[in-house]
Short mmCIF file of all heavy atoms in Angstrom, two decimals:
data_model
loop_
_atom_site.label_atom_id
_atom_site.label_comp_id
_atom_site.label_asym_id
_atom_site.label_seq_id
_atom_site.Cartn_x
_atom_site.Cartn_y
_atom_site.Cartn_z
N ASN A 26 190.59 176.06 68.55
CA ASN A 26 189.47 176.30 69.46
C ASN A 26 188.25 175.52 69.00
O ASN A 26 187.87 175.65 67.84
CB ASN A 26 189.21 177.79 69.56
CG ASN A 26 188.09 178.16 70.46
OD1 ASN A 26 186.99 177.65 70.33
ND2 ASN A 26 188.36 179.07 71.37
N ILE A 27 187.67 174.76 69.88
CA ILE A 27 186.54 173.91 69.51
C ILE A 27 185.34 174.76 69.01
O ILE A 27 184.66 174.38 68.06
CB ILE A 27 186.11 173.05 70.70
CG1 ILE A 27 187.24 172.01 71.02
CG2 ILE A 27 184.81 172.31 70.47
CD1 ILE A 27 187.06 171.25 72.27
N GLY A 28 185.09 175.85 69.67
CA GLY A 28 184.00 176.73 69.29
C GLY A 28 184.09 177.22 67.85
O GLY A 28 183.13 177.35 67.13
N HIS A 29 185.33 177.54 67.44
CA HIS A 29 185.56 177.99 66.06
C HIS A 29 185.56 176.85 65.05
O HIS A 29 185.02 176.92 63.97
CB HIS A 29 186.87 178.78 65.96
CG HIS A 29 186.77 180.12 66.64
ND1 HIS A 29 187.49 180.39 67.74
CD2 HIS A 29 186.05 181.20 66.34
CE1 HIS A 29 187.25 181.63 68.11
NE2 HIS A 29 186.33 182.15 67.32
N GLN A 30 186.21 175.76 65.45
CA GLN A 30 186.33 174.62 64.54
C GLN A 30 185.02 173.96 64.24
O GLN A 30 184.78 173.49 63.13
CB GLN A 30 187.30 173.59 65.19
CG GLN A 30 187.69 172.47 64.26
CD GLN A 30 188.74 171.57 64.85
OE1 GLN A 30 189.19 171.76 65.98
NE2 GLN A 30 189.14 170.56 64.11
N TYR A 31 184.12 173.92 65.22
CA TYR A 31 182.83 173.22 65.06
C TYR A 31 181.66 174.17 65.24
O TYR A 31 180.60 173.82 65.75
CB TYR A 31 182.73 172.07 66.08
CG TYR A 31 183.74 171.00 65.87
CD1 TYR A 31 184.90 170.98 66.61
CD2 TYR A 31 183.57 170.01 64.90
CE1 TYR A 31 185.88 170.00 66.41
CE2 TYR A 31 184.53 169.08 64.69
CZ TYR A 31 185.68 169.06 65.43
OH TYR A 31 186.63 168.08 65.22
N TYR A 32 181.82 175.41 64.71
CA TYR A 32 180.80 176.46 64.99
C TYR A 32 179.42 176.13 64.45
O TYR A 32 178.43 176.64 64.93
CB TYR A 32 181.28 177.81 64.40
CG TYR A 32 181.36 177.86 62.89
CD1 TYR A 32 180.23 178.26 62.13
CD2 TYR A 32 182.53 177.53 62.25
CE1 TYR A 32 180.32 178.33 60.75
CE2 TYR A 32 182.57 177.57 60.85
CZ TYR A 32 181.50 177.98 60.13
OH TYR A 32 181.58 178.03 58.77
N ASP A 33 179.32 175.22 63.48
CA ASP A 33 177.97 174.85 62.96
C ASP A 33 177.27 173.95 63.97
O ASP A 33 176.02 173.90 63.96
CB ASP A 33 178.07 174.10 61.65
CG ASP A 33 178.41 175.03 60.48
OD1 ASP A 33 178.11 176.24 60.58
OD2 ASP A 33 178.91 174.52 59.46
N ASN A 34 177.97 173.22 64.81
CA ASN A 34 177.38 172.21 65.68
C ASN A 34 177.47 172.58 67.15
O ASN A 34 176.66 172.09 67.91
CB ASN A 34 178.12 170.87 65.53
CG ASN A 34 178.00 170.33 64.14
OD1 ASN A 34 178.56 170.92 63.21
ND2 ASN A 34 177.35 169.24 63.97
N VAL A 35 178.43 173.41 67.54
CA VAL A 35 178.69 173.64 68.93
C VAL A 35 178.75 175.16 69.24
O VAL A 35 179.38 175.91 68.48
CB VAL A 35 180.06 173.00 69.35
CG1 VAL A 35 180.40 173.30 70.77
CG2 VAL A 35 180.08 171.52 69.07
N LYS A 36 178.13 175.55 70.31
CA LYS A 36 178.22 176.93 70.81
C LYS A 36 178.92 176.84 72.16
O LYS A 36 178.46 176.07 73.03
CB LYS A 36 176.84 177.55 70.97
CG LYS A 36 176.00 177.55 69.72
CD LYS A 36 176.64 178.38 68.60
CE LYS A 36 175.80 178.33 67.38
NZ LYS A 36 176.44 177.86 66.19
N VAL A 37 180.01 177.56 72.32
CA VAL A 37 180.79 177.52 73.56
C VAL A 37 180.60 178.84 74.31
O VAL A 37 180.74 179.90 73.71
CB VAL A 37 182.30 177.28 73.25
CG1 VAL A 37 183.09 177.31 74.52
CG2 VAL A 37 182.48 175.98 72.52
N TYR A 38 180.26 178.76 75.58
CA TYR A 38 180.09 179.91 76.42
C TYR A 38 180.88 179.75 77.68
O TYR A 38 181.02 178.64 78.20
CB TYR A 38 178.59 180.04 76.81
CG TYR A 38 177.64 180.18 75.65
CD1 TYR A 38 177.02 179.09 75.10
CD2 TYR A 38 177.43 181.43 75.09
CE1 TYR A 38 176.17 179.20 74.03
CE2 TYR A 38 176.59 181.58 74.00
CZ TYR A 38 175.97 180.47 73.47
OH TYR A 38 175.12 180.61 72.40
N GLY A 39 181.38 180.85 78.18
CA GLY A 39 182.12 180.83 79.43
C GLY A 39 181.32 181.64 80.47
O GLY A 39 180.70 182.64 80.12
N VAL A 40 181.39 181.17 81.70
CA VAL A 40 180.71 181.89 82.78
C VAL A 40 181.74 182.16 83.87
O VAL A 40 182.36 181.23 84.38
CB VAL A 40 179.54 181.04 83.34
CG1 VAL A 40 178.93 181.75 84.54
CG2 VAL A 40 178.49 180.76 82.28
N ASP A 41 181.87 183.40 84.20
CA ASP A 41 182.74 183.79 85.36
C ASP A 41 181.87 183.73 86.59
O ASP A 41 181.01 184.62 86.77
CB ASP A 41 183.32 185.18 85.14
CG ASP A 41 184.30 185.58 86.21
OD1 ASP A 41 184.08 185.19 87.41
OD2 ASP A 41 185.26 186.29 85.91
N ILE A 42 182.03 182.70 87.37
CA ILE A 42 181.09 182.53 88.54
C ILE A 42 181.28 183.61 89.58
O ILE A 42 180.37 183.81 90.38
CB ILE A 42 181.22 181.11 89.13
CG1 ILE A 42 182.61 180.91 89.75
CG2 ILE A 42 180.91 180.04 88.10
CD1 ILE A 42 182.70 179.62 90.58
N ASP A 43 182.41 184.27 89.60
CA ASP A 43 182.57 185.39 90.56
C ASP A 43 181.77 186.62 90.11
O ASP A 43 181.21 187.32 90.94
CB ASP A 43 184.04 185.76 90.71
CG ASP A 43 184.85 184.67 91.39
OD1 ASP A 43 184.29 184.04 92.29
OD2 ASP A 43 186.03 184.48 91.02
N ASP A 44 181.73 186.87 88.79
CA ASP A 44 181.01 188.02 88.27
C ASP A 44 179.54 187.76 88.08
O ASP A 44 178.73 188.70 88.15
CB ASP A 44 181.60 188.43 86.90
CG ASP A 44 182.98 189.06 87.05
OD1 ASP A 44 183.31 189.51 88.14
OD2 ASP A 44 183.70 189.13 86.01
N THR A 45 179.14 186.50 87.85
CA THR A 45 177.74 186.17 87.60
C THR A 45 177.34 184.94 88.44
O THR A 45 177.07 183.86 87.91
CB THR A 45 177.50 185.87 86.11
OG1 THR A 45 178.41 184.88 85.69
CG2 THR A 45 177.65 187.13 85.30
N PRO A 46 177.28 185.09 89.77
CA PRO A 46 176.95 183.97 90.62
C PRO A 46 175.57 183.38 90.34
O PRO A 46 175.34 182.19 90.55
CB PRO A 46 177.09 184.51 92.02
CG PRO A 46 176.99 185.97 91.91
CD PRO A 46 177.52 186.31 90.52
N LEU A 47 174.62 184.21 89.87
CA LEU A 47 173.29 183.71 89.62
C LEU A 47 173.28 182.74 88.39
O LEU A 47 172.58 181.73 88.42
CB LEU A 47 172.30 184.84 89.37
CG LEU A 47 171.97 185.69 90.57
CD1 LEU A 47 171.04 186.82 90.19
CD2 LEU A 47 171.35 184.88 91.66
N ALA A 48 174.11 183.04 87.43
CA ALA A 48 174.24 182.11 86.29
C ALA A 48 174.82 180.76 86.72
O ALA A 48 174.38 179.72 86.27
CB ALA A 48 175.08 182.73 85.18
N ALA A 49 175.81 180.84 87.58
CA ALA A 49 176.41 179.60 88.11
C ALA A 49 175.38 178.83 88.92
O ALA A 49 175.26 177.61 88.80
CB ALA A 49 177.64 179.92 88.95
N ALA A 50 174.64 179.54 89.74
CA ALA A 50 173.61 178.87 90.58
C ALA A 50 172.51 178.22 89.71
O ALA A 50 172.06 177.12 89.97
CB ALA A 50 173.00 179.85 91.55
N LYS A 51 172.10 178.94 88.68
CA LYS A 51 171.05 178.45 87.78
C LYS A 51 171.48 177.11 87.12
O LYS A 51 170.65 176.24 86.93
CB LYS A 51 170.75 179.49 86.71
CG LYS A 51 169.66 179.10 85.76
CD LYS A 51 169.38 180.18 84.76
CE LYS A 51 168.33 179.72 83.76
NZ LYS A 51 168.08 180.73 82.76
N SER A 52 172.77 177.00 86.82
CA SER A 52 173.27 175.78 86.18
C SER A 52 173.88 174.79 87.20
O SER A 52 174.47 173.80 86.81
CB SER A 52 174.37 176.15 85.19
OG SER A 52 173.83 176.93 84.14
N ASN A 53 173.66 175.09 88.51
CA ASN A 53 174.17 174.21 89.54
C ASN A 53 175.66 173.95 89.46
O ASN A 53 176.15 172.85 89.70
CB ASN A 53 173.40 172.86 89.59
CG ASN A 53 171.97 173.08 89.94
OD1 ASN A 53 171.65 173.83 90.84
ND2 ASN A 53 171.12 172.41 89.23
N ILE A 54 176.42 174.98 89.08
CA ILE A 54 177.88 174.89 89.01
C ILE A 54 178.40 175.12 90.40
O ILE A 54 178.28 176.20 90.96
CB ILE A 54 178.47 175.86 88.02
CG1 ILE A 54 177.96 175.55 86.60
CG2 ILE A 54 179.97 175.86 88.05
CD1 ILE A 54 178.35 176.57 85.56
N ILE A 55 179.01 174.06 90.97
CA ILE A 55 179.57 174.22 92.33
C ILE A 55 181.06 173.96 92.35
O ILE A 55 181.72 174.26 93.32
CB ILE A 55 178.88 173.25 93.31
CG1 ILE A 55 178.93 171.82 92.85
CG2 ILE A 55 177.43 173.70 93.52
CD1 ILE A 55 178.37 170.82 93.85
N SER A 56 181.59 173.41 91.27
CA SER A 56 183.05 173.19 91.13
C SER A 56 183.45 173.67 89.80
O SER A 56 182.74 173.58 88.80
CB SER A 56 183.38 171.73 91.28
OG SER A 56 183.07 171.24 92.55
N ILE A 57 184.71 174.20 89.71
CA ILE A 57 185.25 174.63 88.41
C ILE A 57 186.62 174.05 88.23
O ILE A 57 187.29 173.73 89.24
CB ILE A 57 185.31 176.19 88.34
CG1 ILE A 57 186.07 176.79 89.50
CG2 ILE A 57 183.92 176.77 88.21
CD1 ILE A 57 186.30 178.26 89.39
N PRO A 58 187.07 173.86 87.01
CA PRO A 58 186.29 174.05 85.79
C PRO A 58 185.19 173.02 85.63
O PRO A 58 185.28 171.91 86.14
CB PRO A 58 187.29 173.97 84.69
CG PRO A 58 188.41 173.12 85.23
CD PRO A 58 188.41 173.38 86.70
N CYS A 59 184.13 173.41 84.93
CA CYS A 59 182.96 172.55 84.73
C CYS A 59 182.48 172.71 83.27
O CYS A 59 182.35 173.81 82.82
CB CYS A 59 181.87 172.93 85.69
SG CYS A 59 180.40 171.93 85.60
N ILE A 60 182.24 171.56 82.66
CA ILE A 60 181.67 171.55 81.25
C ILE A 60 180.30 170.96 81.36
O ILE A 60 180.13 169.85 81.79
CB ILE A 60 182.54 170.75 80.31
CG1 ILE A 60 183.94 171.36 80.19
CG2 ILE A 60 181.85 170.65 78.96
CD1 ILE A 60 184.92 170.50 79.41
N ASN A 61 179.30 171.74 80.95
CA ASN A 61 177.95 171.24 80.86
C ASN A 61 177.60 171.13 79.39
O ASN A 61 177.73 172.11 78.67
CB ASN A 61 176.95 172.19 81.55
CG ASN A 61 177.19 172.31 83.04
OD1 ASN A 61 178.12 171.76 83.57
ND2 ASN A 61 176.35 173.11 83.68
N LEU A 62 177.10 169.99 78.96
CA LEU A 62 176.70 169.83 77.58
C LEU A 62 175.19 169.78 77.54
O LEU A 62 174.54 168.95 78.14
CB LEU A 62 177.27 168.51 76.98
CG LEU A 62 176.79 168.17 75.59
CD1 LEU A 62 177.24 169.21 74.56
CD2 LEU A 62 177.29 166.78 75.20
N TYR A 63 174.61 170.74 76.80
CA TYR A 63 173.20 170.84 76.59
C TYR A 63 172.87 170.50 75.15
O TYR A 63 173.52 170.97 74.21
CB TYR A 63 172.67 172.24 76.89
CG TYR A 63 172.79 172.61 78.35
CD1 TYR A 63 173.94 173.25 78.81
CD2 TYR A 63 171.75 172.39 79.22
CE1 TYR A 63 174.06 173.62 80.13
CE2 TYR A 63 171.86 172.76 80.57
CZ TYR A 63 173.04 173.36 81.00
OH TYR A 63 173.14 173.71 82.34
N ILE A 64 171.87 169.70 74.91
CA ILE A 64 171.36 169.40 73.61
C ILE A 64 169.88 169.73 73.62
O ILE A 64 169.13 169.18 74.44
CB ILE A 64 171.60 167.93 73.21
CG1 ILE A 64 173.12 167.65 73.22
CG2 ILE A 64 170.99 167.63 71.83
CD1 ILE A 64 173.48 166.20 72.92
N ASP A 65 169.47 170.64 72.73
CA ASP A 65 168.05 171.08 72.70
C ASP A 65 167.60 171.62 74.06
O ASP A 65 166.47 171.33 74.47
CB ASP A 65 167.15 170.01 72.15
CG ASP A 65 167.44 169.61 70.72
OD1 ASP A 65 167.88 170.50 69.94
OD2 ASP A 65 167.29 168.45 70.37
N GLY A 66 168.47 172.30 74.81
CA GLY A 66 168.12 172.89 76.06
C GLY A 66 168.10 171.94 77.26
O GLY A 66 167.79 172.34 78.34
N VAL A 67 168.47 170.72 77.01
CA VAL A 67 168.46 169.68 78.07
C VAL A 67 169.92 169.28 78.42
O VAL A 67 170.68 168.96 77.48
CB VAL A 67 167.66 168.41 77.67
CG1 VAL A 67 167.75 167.38 78.75
CG2 VAL A 67 166.22 168.77 77.35
N GLU A 68 170.29 169.36 79.66
CA GLU A 68 171.61 168.96 80.03
C GLU A 68 171.82 167.45 79.86
O GLU A 68 171.08 166.67 80.40
CB GLU A 68 171.95 169.32 81.52
CG GLU A 68 173.38 169.03 81.85
CD GLU A 68 173.74 169.46 83.27
OE1 GLU A 68 173.27 170.52 83.75
OE2 GLU A 68 174.53 168.76 83.90
N LYS A 69 172.80 167.10 79.05
CA LYS A 69 173.04 165.68 78.71
C LYS A 69 174.18 165.11 79.54
O LYS A 69 174.19 163.92 79.85
CB LYS A 69 173.33 165.46 77.21
CG LYS A 69 172.16 165.85 76.33
CD LYS A 69 171.03 164.93 76.62
CE LYS A 69 169.83 165.19 75.68
NZ LYS A 69 168.77 164.26 75.85
N THR A 70 175.16 165.96 79.86
CA THR A 70 176.29 165.50 80.68
C THR A 70 176.96 166.66 81.34
O THR A 70 176.81 167.81 80.86
CB THR A 70 177.29 164.64 79.83
OG1 THR A 70 178.18 164.01 80.71
CG2 THR A 70 178.04 165.51 78.86
N ARG A 71 177.73 166.37 82.34
CA ARG A 71 178.49 167.38 83.08
C ARG A 71 179.85 166.75 83.43
O ARG A 71 179.92 165.61 83.85
CB ARG A 71 177.75 167.75 84.35
CG ARG A 71 178.45 168.73 85.23
CD ARG A 71 177.65 168.99 86.46
NE ARG A 71 176.38 169.59 86.09
CZ ARG A 71 175.92 170.74 86.53
NH1 ARG A 71 176.60 171.40 87.47
NH2 ARG A 71 174.80 171.26 86.13
N SER A 72 180.90 167.54 83.24
CA SER A 72 182.21 167.04 83.53
C SER A 72 182.96 168.11 84.31
O SER A 72 183.02 169.27 83.89
CB SER A 72 182.94 166.71 82.22
OG SER A 72 184.20 166.21 82.47
N VAL A 73 183.48 167.73 85.46
CA VAL A 73 184.18 168.66 86.35
C VAL A 73 185.68 168.34 86.31
O VAL A 73 186.08 167.18 86.32
CB VAL A 73 183.66 168.56 87.80
CG1 VAL A 73 184.43 169.48 88.74
CG2 VAL A 73 182.16 168.91 87.81
N GLY A 74 186.49 169.37 86.28
CA GLY A 74 187.94 169.20 86.28
C GLY A 74 188.49 169.58 84.89
O GLY A 74 187.79 169.61 83.91
N PHE A 75 189.79 169.84 84.89
CA PHE A 75 190.46 170.20 83.63
C PHE A 75 190.31 169.09 82.61
O PHE A 75 190.49 167.90 82.91
CB PHE A 75 191.95 170.49 83.88
CG PHE A 75 192.69 170.75 82.65
CD1 PHE A 75 192.59 172.00 82.00
CD2 PHE A 75 193.43 169.76 82.00
CE1 PHE A 75 193.28 172.26 80.83
CE2 PHE A 75 194.10 170.01 80.85
CZ PHE A 75 194.04 171.25 80.23
N LYS A 76 190.02 169.47 81.38
CA LYS A 76 189.94 168.52 80.26
C LYS A 76 190.82 169.05 79.11
O LYS A 76 190.81 170.26 78.83
CB LYS A 76 188.48 168.37 79.72
CG LYS A 76 187.51 167.91 80.75
CD LYS A 76 187.74 166.44 81.11
CE LYS A 76 186.75 165.94 82.09
NZ LYS A 76 187.21 165.98 83.48
N THR A 77 191.52 168.15 78.50
CA THR A 77 192.28 168.53 77.32
C THR A 77 191.29 168.73 76.16
O THR A 77 190.12 168.32 76.25
CB THR A 77 193.28 167.45 76.89
OG1 THR A 77 192.56 166.28 76.52
CG2 THR A 77 194.27 167.15 78.01
N GLU A 78 191.76 169.36 75.11
CA GLU A 78 190.89 169.53 73.94
C GLU A 78 190.40 168.21 73.44
O GLU A 78 189.21 168.06 73.08
CB GLU A 78 191.63 170.29 72.85
CG GLU A 78 190.72 170.61 71.66
CD GLU A 78 191.41 171.51 70.63
OE1 GLU A 78 192.26 172.36 71.01
OE2 GLU A 78 191.03 171.39 69.47
N GLU A 79 191.25 167.20 73.41
CA GLU A 79 190.86 165.88 72.90
C GLU A 79 189.79 165.24 73.80
O GLU A 79 188.84 164.59 73.34
CB GLU A 79 192.08 164.98 72.77
CG GLU A 79 191.76 163.68 72.01
CD GLU A 79 191.25 163.91 70.61
OE1 GLU A 79 191.68 164.81 69.94
OE2 GLU A 79 190.38 163.14 70.16
N GLU A 80 189.90 165.45 75.11
CA GLU A 80 188.91 164.92 76.02
C GLU A 80 187.54 165.58 75.82
O GLU A 80 186.50 164.92 75.88
CB GLU A 80 189.35 165.08 77.51
CG GLU A 80 190.49 164.17 77.88
CD GLU A 80 191.06 164.51 79.23
OE1 GLU A 80 191.27 165.67 79.56
OE2 GLU A 80 191.38 163.50 79.95
N VAL A 81 187.55 166.88 75.56
CA VAL A 81 186.30 167.58 75.29
C VAL A 81 185.70 167.06 73.97
O VAL A 81 184.51 166.82 73.89
CB VAL A 81 186.48 169.10 75.23
CG1 VAL A 81 185.22 169.80 74.78
CG2 VAL A 81 186.97 169.62 76.57
N LEU A 82 186.55 166.88 72.97
CA LEU A 82 186.09 166.33 71.72
C LEU A 82 185.48 164.93 71.87
O LEU A 82 184.47 164.60 71.27
CB LEU A 82 187.20 166.30 70.66
CG LEU A 82 187.66 167.67 70.17
CD1 LEU A 82 188.89 167.53 69.31
CD2 LEU A 82 186.56 168.40 69.44
N ASP A 83 186.07 164.14 72.74
CA ASP A 83 185.53 162.78 73.03
C ASP A 83 184.15 162.89 73.62
O ASP A 83 183.27 162.09 73.27
CB ASP A 83 186.46 162.00 73.96
CG ASP A 83 187.73 161.52 73.28
OD1 ASP A 83 187.79 161.47 72.02
OD2 ASP A 83 188.71 161.18 74.03
N ILE A 84 183.91 163.87 74.50
CA ILE A 84 182.58 164.03 75.12
C ILE A 84 181.60 164.38 74.00
O ILE A 84 180.48 163.86 73.94
CB ILE A 84 182.64 165.17 76.19
CG1 ILE A 84 183.43 164.70 77.39
CG2 ILE A 84 181.21 165.58 76.58
CD1 ILE A 84 183.75 165.78 78.36
N LEU A 85 181.97 165.32 73.11
CA LEU A 85 181.10 165.72 72.02
C LEU A 85 180.81 164.56 71.06
O LEU A 85 179.69 164.39 70.62
CB LEU A 85 181.71 166.91 71.28
CG LEU A 85 181.88 168.18 72.10
CD1 LEU A 85 182.58 169.23 71.26
CD2 LEU A 85 180.55 168.68 72.60
N ARG A 86 181.80 163.76 70.80
CA ARG A 86 181.61 162.56 69.91
C ARG A 86 180.69 161.56 70.56
O ARG A 86 179.83 160.98 69.91
CB ARG A 86 182.94 161.93 69.57
CG ARG A 86 183.84 162.71 68.64
CD ARG A 86 185.08 161.94 68.29
NE ARG A 86 186.03 162.83 67.69
CZ ARG A 86 187.16 163.30 68.24
NH1 ARG A 86 187.52 162.91 69.47
NH2 ARG A 86 187.96 164.09 67.63
N LYS A 87 180.86 161.35 71.83
CA LYS A 87 180.06 160.35 72.57
C LYS A 87 178.59 160.70 72.48
O LYS A 87 177.73 159.84 72.38
CB LYS A 87 180.51 160.31 74.04
CG LYS A 87 179.68 159.37 74.90
CD LYS A 87 180.14 159.39 76.31
CE LYS A 87 179.23 158.52 77.18
NZ LYS A 87 179.59 158.60 78.61
N HIS A 88 178.28 162.00 72.45
CA HIS A 88 176.89 162.44 72.38
C HIS A 88 176.49 162.81 70.97
O HIS A 88 175.46 163.48 70.79
CB HIS A 88 176.68 163.59 73.38
CG HIS A 88 176.79 163.17 74.80
ND1 HIS A 88 175.73 162.59 75.48
CD2 HIS A 88 177.84 163.14 75.67
CE1 HIS A 88 176.10 162.27 76.69
NE2 HIS A 88 177.38 162.59 76.82
N GLU A 89 177.32 162.43 70.02
CA GLU A 89 177.02 162.63 68.55
C GLU A 89 176.77 164.04 68.21
O GLU A 89 175.92 164.37 67.35
CB GLU A 89 175.87 161.71 68.17
CG GLU A 89 176.17 160.25 68.39
CD GLU A 89 175.03 159.32 68.00
OE1 GLU A 89 173.89 159.80 67.75
OE2 GLU A 89 175.29 158.09 67.95
N VAL A 90 177.52 164.95 68.86
CA VAL A 90 177.41 166.37 68.51
C VAL A 90 178.30 166.71 67.34
O VAL A 90 177.94 167.58 66.51
CB VAL A 90 177.80 167.25 69.77
CG1 VAL A 90 177.79 168.73 69.40
CG2 VAL A 90 176.82 166.96 70.91
N ILE A 91 179.42 166.02 67.25
CA ILE A 91 180.35 166.22 66.09
C ILE A 91 180.63 164.86 65.50
O ILE A 91 180.34 163.84 66.02
CB ILE A 91 181.66 166.90 66.49
CG1 ILE A 91 182.39 166.10 67.56
CG2 ILE A 91 181.38 168.31 66.97
CD1 ILE A 91 183.80 166.56 67.83
#
């Protein structure tokens, strides 16, 4: 699990858009699955659609998070 493996650098949160539609609206989540990467509170990238663990790690590497 990426959240456990990189816990010093990455915080992983899940949002159930059916249970918390306001949270989804606040983040402009209109399609799922959706990965939003925030650095210092600023959204740096968004990726929609299923991603393998390696693809998620590539996103984090690209933004020098890990």
Side-chain angles (χ1 to χ4, degrees):
N26 179 307
I27 293 171
H29 289 113
Q30 188 174 1
Y31 296 99
Y32 68 90
D33 284 338
N34 300 66
V35 177
K36 305 297 180 236
V37 176
Y38 300 94
V40 175
D41 184 325
I42 65 169
D43 292 325
D44 289 341
T45 55
L47 290 177
K51 182 179 177 183
S52 297
N53 295 317
I54 296 172
I55 55 174
S56 296
I57 54 173
C59 181
I60 298 172
N61 296 3
L62 174 64
Y63 293 88
I64 299 175
D65 297 326
V67 177
E68 186 176 324
K69 296 297 183 176
T70 192
R71 176 181 300 235
S72 182
V73 176
F75 175 81
K76 301 289 181 265
T77 65
E78 184 172 331
E79 192 58 38
E80 289 171 318
V81 174
L82 291 173
D83 287 343
I84 291 169
L85 297 174
R86 289 183 194 108
K87 177 181 176 185
H88 292 278
E89 300 179 348
V90 176
I91 58 171

